[in-house]
Amino acid sequence: FLGGPSSGYESQIKMAGKAGAPFVSFPVAMPWPRPGEPVDWSASDSQCQAVLDANPDALLIPRIGMDAPGWWLKAHPDDAMVWDRDPQFGYAVVASPAYRRDAAERLAALVAHLEAKFGPHMAGYHPCGQNTGEWFYRETWGPALSGYAKGDAHQWRAWLKRRYASDAALRAAWGDPKASLETAEVPTPAARRAAPAGVLRDPVAERPVIDFTEFQQEAMAECVCHLAKAVRQASQGRKLVVFFYGYVFEFAAVHNGPGTSGHYALRRTLECPDIDVLCSPISYFDRGLSQSAPAMTAAESVALAGKMWLYEDDTRTYLGTGQFPGWYDGVDTLEKTNQELLRNTSQCALRNFGTWWMDLGASGWFDDPRMWAEMARLKALDEPLLAHPRPFRPEVAAVIDEPAMMRVAFGGTSVTRPGVYEVRKPLGRMGTPYGQYLQDDVIAGRVKAKLNVFLTAWSLSPAERRKLLAATRGSTRIWCYAPGYQEERGTSLEAMHELTGFQLKKVSPAKAMAKPTPAGERLGLKEAFGAAARIEPLFAAADASPEETLATYPDGSAAVALRRSADGISLFVGPPGLTSELLRLAARQAGVHLFTQSDCNVYANGPYLVLHGSQDGPLEIDTGAPGPVRDLLGGSVLGQGPKLTLPLGKGETRVLTFGP
């Protein structure tokens, strides 16, 4: 806030610069005058200058609001978004060619102006739009459904023409003899909120809804890519282009269905040559002290595509105020704050993420030089990795499939909340690092993990099924919930058998809970897990022997089963969700190195190991290598590897190096 009481804005920028962080992300005004009116650059200029006044060496990455002004929406009423219920909000239809054209024109003009005025200081540009500027549809987390503007219907029909080309093809796909490319309507709210087949949409009867979900994802991603090209061209290809997008794990908790978000065309943005950095806040799940601070996206697939994933670290520090997102995970002391920031920033270093510290609310959350001293201390980790870059290739891959997530029906969170959103908790505590990947990367052979955790392998063509098996041959595979159940034009138990090696059958116990059997207990299982409610559909391993059956449903059928073959180890997990002990069991079977045999948040890459205590220690660790184990930030030798015991408290972070 300029001209008023100090908010810590200038002092935080100065502290960041002294700690070696000259990049500054900040909002700037987006001049969008009516046609024929002069452009007033004064606000955007003064906002950039304010940063440079605080740090003359700053490198600027302005956030540029791309939502259309009120006058534009009135001039283009067909392209103003419409929800199925009130209240209505002032946003443009992202599929609208008029909006994309005008928004790109104004964006390019602003970029060209800032390049001319502040060129050497401009590091990049971050266009923001839709809900909280993060390019997901407004009301994704609410009850309303978007997509009912006339502009949506017009572009929906254009999409259908590209997809089906003829009325005959459309009628065959939809099973509707009256369907027409010229008159097709957006599916009704009732159809979109229905779940006639349970958790997953019927691939035949609900084809119009599945198609519309895909249309909404592509519309958002294409809009993002269109604006990215405008920045790339206006900056003459010399500056970073940054976007929020791709929250494929996070939106698994959306009750209306993940696909209402518009974020399940991540692959399209990864193929866009005009985007350099994709970003999101740290997940608002499991981000507090003693927790794992997971990524919202398939972050390792972002890296495989040659782009950077960036954590917006809006940790609510001990100076934090207000009830902004994540406020309930806030801490109340500097020491606890620094333990969280050390965990978050170290994880970014090891996984090759970028990060920025976000003063949410502009009230001075990071206005303490003792926080920035931690950033400076982390040069001991940053500089060796910059000098000798290491790709992050963990032995465990958590795999998500975008097309499968678009088939999750209204209320499907009974499976996707525990099975995709919350599963990052046990993955983070299993005792070894994991990566987050898109399934198409695994199919293409770009992921070489010893343990592949297929969270959503529900919808595969026969060719994809065969390629997936070939690409992961010899590994241990965890098949979650309904593996291989859907094909393009129906469902198939035989396809499930081909994929998993088990003869699976539908079951309907009163609760989708799995209780360990004696065979499971012998391998280390103690906890029951799953959902304390009926889930449809639900599957059990009909042909699993007693020794293969590690847990059963209340009806006695095999809920968790493990089978060894010449092709590898197959672990079927029918109920939603996983536990850290089940993941450790699978990791041992796969030959994955476990740094701990008990719950602890573990991040590792090469000789670097970061531990964040999920419970009070002491903690037994196994580095897997002989030689000294050092405290990287303090310099002291803590012991000799491969095995030693560390006093690690709940919520404490240690940054270590090990080996010769």
Side-chain angles (χ1 to χ4, degrees), residues 53-75:
D53 288 345
N55 178 6
D57 296 321
L59 298 170
L60 312 184
I61 307 179
R63 295 190 187 204
I64 303 166
M66 297 307 306
D67 294 319
W71 70 260
W72 191 96
L73 296 172
K74 289 180 181 179

Side-chain angles (χ1 to χ4, degrees), residues 62 122 124 127 165 350 385 412 442 542 578 583 634 650:
M122 303 308 300
L350 296 188
L385 287 169
V442 181
L578 296 166
L583 286 162
K650 184 177 181 179

Side-chain angles (χ1 to χ4, degrees), residues 168-245:
L170 178 68
R171 290 165 183 167
W174 286 10
D176 180 359
K178 297 181 180 180
S180 167
L181 296 173
E182 293 296 334
T183 61
E185 297 291 342
V186 171
T188 65
R192 293 168 68 185
R193 289 195 180 91
V199 170
L200 303 177
R201 296 207 180 276
D202 186 303
V204 178
E206 295 185 274
R207 172 59 59 181
V209 177
I210 294 171
D211 280 349
F212 185 72
T213 302
E214 187 174 347
F215 160 73
Q216 283 203 304
Q217 317 313 300
E218 290 186 10
M220 188 67 79
E222 290 294 339
C223 181
V224 163
C225 294
H226 187 81
L227 297 178
K229 185 175 183 179
V231 176
R232 184 70 88 204
Q233 291 179 341
S235 64
Q236 299 181 48
R238 295 196 300 262
K239 302 300 168 70
L240 296 172
V241 183
V242 183
F243 275 89
F244 290 119
Y245 192 77

Side-chain angles (χ1 to χ4, degrees), residues 230-351:
V231 176
R232 184 70 88 204
Q233 291 179 341
S235 64
Q236 299 181 48
R238 295 196 300 262
K239 302 300 168 70
L240 296 172
V241 183
V242 183
F243 275 89
F244 290 119
Y245 192 77
Y247 304 3
V248 293
F249 281 81
E250 200 73 4
F251 288 136
V254 172
H255 189 74
N256 276 342
T260 58
S261 66
H263 266 231
Y264 290 88
L266 175 57
R267 177 55 63 193
R268 173 66 185 92
T269 63
L270 294 182
E271 292 173 347
C272 175
D274 301 313
I275 296 175
D276 302 298
V277 181
L278 290 170
C279 57
S280 79
I282 296 171
S283 174
Y284 290 112
F285 168 75
D286 207 47
R287 63 149 52 190
L289 197 68
S290 80
Q291 299 175 345
S292 66
M296 289 187 176
T297 196
E300 276 59 54
S301 280
V302 175
L304 286 177
K307 302 187 189 303
M308 175 180 280
W309 184 255
L310 186 146
Y311 262 3
E312 175 174 281
D313 190 342
D314 54 352
T315 290
R316 189 178 185 274
T317 72
Y318 83 100
L319 296 174
T321 55
Q323 293 191 354
F324 293 98
W327 67 271
Y328 42 81
D329 286 318
V331 291
D332 55 8
T333 68
L334 173 67
E335 180 182 9
K336 292 177 181 178
T337 295
N338 279 347
Q339 293 300 321
E340 286 191 331
L341 295 177
L342 195 59
R343 171 201 63 192
N344 300 346
T345 313
S346 299
Q347 179 185 177
C348 289
L350 296 188
R351 294 177 75 177

Side-chain angles (χ1 to χ4, degrees), residues 520-656:
E521 290 173 348
R522 285 192 293 272
L523 291 176
L525 295 186
K526 300 176 183 177
E527 303 174 44
F529 71 96
R534 191 183 305 275
I535 288 177
E536 297 290 345
L538 191 69
F539 300 91
D543 63 339
S545 70
E547 279 305 304
E548 291 176 322
T549 303
L550 306 188
T552 55
Y553 292 119
D555 64 2
S557 59
V560 179
L562 184 148
R563 178 168 290 169
R564 296 173 176 84
S565 71
D567 194 44
I569 296 173
S570 184
L571 178 61
F572 166 72
V573 182
L578 296 166
T579 65
S580 56
E581 63 182 19
L582 179 57
L583 286 162
R584 277 193 290 274
L585 181 159
R588 295 185 195 106
Q589 300 294 321
V592 169
H593 176 72
L594 292 170
F595 289 91
T596 70
Q597 296 290 335
S598 59
D599 279 14
C600 182
N601 300 295
V602 174
Y603 319 93
N605 192 355
Y608 303 103
L609 175 63
V610 176
L611 306 171
H612 183 72
S614 61
Q615 56 195 348
D616 285 323
L619 182 71
E620 296 180 0
I621 67 170
D622 181 354
T623 65
V629 178
R630 296 183 174 86
D631 183 318
L632 180 63
L633 305 185
S636 60
V637 175
L638 304 175
Q640 295 293 315
K643 296 184 178 181
L644 71 158
T645 301
L646 287 179
L648 185 73
K650 184 177 181 179
E652 182 182 0
T653 304
R654 303 295 294 271
V655 183
L656 312 175

